[in-house]
Structure formats: C-alpha cells, structure tokens
C-alpha cells in the first residue's frame, strides 16, 4: 500500500469515529436569517477520492470532532480553506486526524459562514463563527479531557485568514451574546497559519479573498480591518507559520508580513518556508516533499510552549 492509499484508509477510519457538534444553539447562526445562501455539499471536489468533500452556502456552522484514544490535553480548532468561496472538509480537515490524534491532539474541524453570502455580520460572519466555536470548545473542555488554557487554532489559506482574525480580534464584539458559553474567552492559546491569506493590500492580496471580504473597491478602513497583520499587538497568541515559496495563489509575502508584525511586537513566532509545495498542499499533497514534515514541526513547537 502506497502512502496516499494508507492515508486514505486512516482518513476513513477517522471519519467513521468522529462526532459532530453545532456551533450555535439553534443550529443555524442568528446572523444567517437574512442570507439567501443554500447549503450544498460538493463531493469529490477534484475527483481524486471520495474523501475530497467541500461545502458552500453554510448557514449552520458545524464542528467535527476527531478525538484521540489518549488525549494530551491540547485541542485545536481547525479552519480549512476554500478561497472564502467554500470550506473543504477533508484535504485540510479529516486528513489531519491520523497524525495529530496519534500524538494525543483533539481536533475540532469546523465549517464557517462565508463573507459574501449576505449574513447579518457581513464580512465578520466567519469571525463570529470562530469566536463562538472557541468559546464552545472551552466551555466543554472537561468533556473532551482538555485543558482550557491549551486550546489553539490552525487555519489554512482563507481559513488561515479566519484563524488570524480570531487571534487578533478575539475580543471584538461581532455578535450579541446568547448564553453562558459566550462568557468564555475566545482567545486561542496559539495559532498555526498554513499558507494563510493575510493582507488585503495589493499587489500581495489574494484577489478572491479580498473581493469576498472588502468588495471590489475597498477603502483604507476596510483594507485595514481585514488585514490581520495590522491588528497584531503584544497580546496576540504565539504563532507558527508555514508556506511554500512557489505558492502561485497566496503569495508567500502574506506569511512574511505576518511574521514581521509578530516579531516587531515581541510575540513568539516560528516560520517554516518550503521551496516546493505550491498552494493548498495540506498533508496529502505534501507526501514525497520536504514539506511533509510540517505537522511534526507544528506539534513539536506547540509542545515547547506548554
């Protein structure tokens, strides 16, 4: 069995034993009431395998929990990418479970609403969902045998932008509190940002994400609001960055800008740049490349902070 087939087999096993949670108490997010979005499951997005799913038209964000046999007390909220047009479920979701679960990490892979779908929070809809998700996980930490002070976020591509927004705007009031869960902090203990969309400034900005977040003719205020590196301060969580230098979609300068912003504020930061990987390599597309070591590098870094 080759490495890709072995990974697919383990992904199937992880999906079979996973559990699912609703992010919001009424399932559908309160801000989704005015949205015309229609939920759609896209199977075999690239045709490569049956575990290559994505979703669009998200109205009721969900969390899929991948719990290990022996939890190490560390939980990670995972925000997959999809160019803020969709959210992938497997490439940057279930594919992570085998390796991270083996080392005791509990993964909470979520879907989040998209900024261009007409939700009441507008471009802050993804952030509202991530804040609520982190608060929910922290409120239920005992249930999953987790330390509430050891809950981080790991985001990919556009999901990396959402994760960085949580790490820099965790205390912004982007939705009205609903229940006792909203009394918990939404601040992640650490951030992992994989080939993240970051700045909205041209020529570095990812065009699709920039349009989804700020429209076709954004003013300076919108560009600033949705460029997480501009909101970095001394209380921003420690951060791990990874990117491929040959990324043709989200320029490596996005990670460089975030690294420089964090370093300037004295925030602990580690960055790994790989010569090859293109965009969206996750785990499956990194097999056979030096970049395939990134999960081990990330977990080693997280454990060094505990």
């Amino acid at each position: 069995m080759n490495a890709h087939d072995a990974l697919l087999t383990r992904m199937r096993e992880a999906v079979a034993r996973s559990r699912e949670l609703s992010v919001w108490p009424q399932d559908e997010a309160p801000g989704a009431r005015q949205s015309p979005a229609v939920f759609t499951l896209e199977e075999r997005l690239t045709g490569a395998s049956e575990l290559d799913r994505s979703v669009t038209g998200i109205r009721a964000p969900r969390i899929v929990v991948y719990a290990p046999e022996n939890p190490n007390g560390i939980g990670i909220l995972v925000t997959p990418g999809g160019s803020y047009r969709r959210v992938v479920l497997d490439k940057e979701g279930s594919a992570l479970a085998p390796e991270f679960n083996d080392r005791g990490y509990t993964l909470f892979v979520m879907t989040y609403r998209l900024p261009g779908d007409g939700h009441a929070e507008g471009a802050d809809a993804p952030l509202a969902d991530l804040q609520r998700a982190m608060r929910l996980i922290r409120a239920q930490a005992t249930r999953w045998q987790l330390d509430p002070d050891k809950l981080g976020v790991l985001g990919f591509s556009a999901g990396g932008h959402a994760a960085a927004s949580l790490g820099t705007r965790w205390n912004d009031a982007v939705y009205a509190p609903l229940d006792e869960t909203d009394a918990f902090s939404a601040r992640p203990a650490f951030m992992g940002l994989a080939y993240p969309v970051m700045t909205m400034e041209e020529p570095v900005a990812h065009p699709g994400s920039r349009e989804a977040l700020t429209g076709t003719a954004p003013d300076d205020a919108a560009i600033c609001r949705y460029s997480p590196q501009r909101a970095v301060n001394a209380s921003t969580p420690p951060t791990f960055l990874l990117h491929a230098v040959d990324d043709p979609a989200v320029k490596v300068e996005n990670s460089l800008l975030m690294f420089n912003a964090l370093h300037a504020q004295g925030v602990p930061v580690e960055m790994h740049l790989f010569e090859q990987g293109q965009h969206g390599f996750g785990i499956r597309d990194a097999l056979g490349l030096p970049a395939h070591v990134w999960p081990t590098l990330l977990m080693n870094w997280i454990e060094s902070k505990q």
Side-chain angles (χ1 to χ4, degrees), residues 230-306:
R230 296 226 191 154
V232 169
N233 58 39
S235 66
T236 301
T239 302
F240 181 98
L241 291 151
L242 67 115
H243 217 121
V245 177
D246 64 353
D247 192 325
V250 177
K251 296 176 181 179
V252 69
E253 285 81 4
N254 283 272
S255 284
L256 295 173
L257 285 168
M258 189 57 164
F259 175 89
N260 288 335
L262 292 159
H263 184 61
Q265 290 292 326
V267 176
V269 58
E270 181 163 317
M271 180 167 63
H272 294 268
L273 302 181
F274 299 97
E275 181 183 359
Q276 294 177 291
Q278 299 284 305
H279 185 67
F281 50 82
I283 287 182
R284 285 193 298 203
D285 292 346
L287 294 174
L289 296 174
H292 85 278
V293 301
W294 75 259
T296 298
L297 295 173
L298 172 59
M299 289 184 279
N300 288 347
W301 176 82
I302 292 170
E303 289 159 26
S304 77
K305 299 299 175 190
Q306 306 309 310

Side-chain angles (χ1 to χ4, degrees), residues 109-161:
V109 179
M110 75 172 293
T111 56
Y112 49 88
R113 288 173 297 149
L114 302 171
D117 278 353
H119 298 284
E121 304 91 343
D124 284 336
L127 177 58
D129 293 340
L130 267 65
Q131 285 185 354
R132 174 71 190 189
M134 182 58 75
R135 289 171 173 138
L136 179 66
I137 296 166
R138 187 157 277 133
Q140 297 187 6
T142 301
R143 172 184 179 184
W144 304 106
Q145 301 178 59
L146 300 174
D147 184 334
D149 294 326
K150 296 182 179 180
L151 304 177
V153 64
L154 169 60
F156 299 81
S157 192
H161 180 275

Side-chain angles (χ1 to χ4, degrees), residues 44-103:
R44 293 181 178 265
L45 180 63
T46 63
S49 79
E50 77 273 17
L51 286 182
D52 194 16
R53 302 164 296 168
S54 70
V55 292
T56 62
I58 299 150
R59 304 177 61 87
R62 310 287 291 175
I63 293 172
V64 179
V65 184
Y66 296 94
E69 288 186 18
N70 299 298
N72 64 5
I74 304 172
I76 304 179
L77 176 65
V78 179
T79 54
S83 299
Y84 275 138
R85 297 286 188 270
R86 56 179 45 81
V87 177
V88 302
L89 302 180
D90 297 305
K91 183 180 74 167
E92 294 156 353
S94 64
L96 309 178
E99 196 162 350
F100 281 84
N101 284 172
D102 282 352
R103 278 182 63 165

